[in-house]
Amino acid sequence: YTLVHRTERASGGQHLALELPWARILYAKAVPLTPAGEHIWNKAVDVRGSIGNYQSEPIFQKAGLTAYNQKRFFTYRTVQKMDWTAPDGEWEIIIVQEEEIEDFKYYGTFVDPCNSEAMAAFIRLTHDKYAEHLSEYFGGTIKGMFTDEIGLLGSIPWSPQLAEFFLELNGYDIREHLEALLFHDAEQAARIRYDYYQAVHLLLLQSYHKQVHDWCETY
């Protein structure tokens, strides 16, 4: 998974109809702006209720499936869509979504390395199979192993496991402060970014690296 975000500016009375990817909404707020264009973060308005499912491609067919009606109407390509009219003033709309990676190299998708159950399954299906047939060579002919591509992808790394882990570690919900990962002027941006990247590091360490370490220690 990765975080994708979109920002739009709107003036009072302006109607926005924004098409968004089919991905989980983590953060959706409209932030008022000062005349100088600065964000007034403590007066941000939650606009999640203005976003819903939308079938973006209508299709009409004439097909003789029944005797009484040969017309068929379909809708395809499900997306998220925002319909929102800005109150008075100037606003910046910020939407952050959790999107599944669907195109990565030759895999077509990518595993979540912060999911400890997925990583345990990976070890069971790979390392255990090597051990079953080759363990007598461990430490001698086979002196080590190399694993590639284990990491978090995207400019803003993310895992569905992160929000709960972050809350337990830091005592606040990172999903309520995602603006700090995008804007330098967000309140306490430096501290939140530090907490965020530290949580990503510790979660990956726990979910993947420690499990591999513990497996290696058994041989």
Side-chain angles (χ1 to χ4, degrees), residues 78-137:
T78 305
V79 296
Q80 301 265 20
K81 185 175 181 180
M82 176 184 187
D83 279 299
W84 183 74
T85 300
D88 291 342
E90 298 296 318
W91 300 81
E92 181 152 21
I93 296 83
I94 306 165
I95 301 170
V96 184
Q97 294 175 271
E98 172 190 286
E99 186 173 42
E100 185 176 355
I101 295 171
E102 296 180 344
D103 184 20
F104 176 72
K105 287 189 174 180
Y106 26 77
Y107 301 121
T109 184
F110 196 74
V111 70
D112 178 7
C114 288
N115 186 313
S116 60
E117 293 183 9
M119 293 300 95
F122 167 73
I123 292 171
R124 184 174 66 252
L125 295 172
T126 55
H127 296 26
D128 282 353
K129 294 301 181 182
Y130 284 119
E132 181 181 341
H133 298 284
L134 302 170
S135 60
E136 63 182 294
Y137 302 106

Side-chain angles (χ1 to χ4, degrees), residues 15 24 49 60 73 154 156 183-184 203-204 212 218:
H15 177 73
R24 181 175 296 140
F60 173 75
F73 179 77
I156 306 178
F183 295 90
H184 292 289
L203 181 57
L204 181 61
V212 173
T218 63

Side-chain angles (χ1 to χ4, degrees), residues 25 28-29 45-53 81-84:
I25 304 292
K29 292 185 179 181
V45 177
D46 194 304
V47 293
R48 188 185 302 259
S50 300
I51 302 173
N53 303 347
K81 185 175 181 180
M82 176 184 187
D83 279 299
W84 183 74

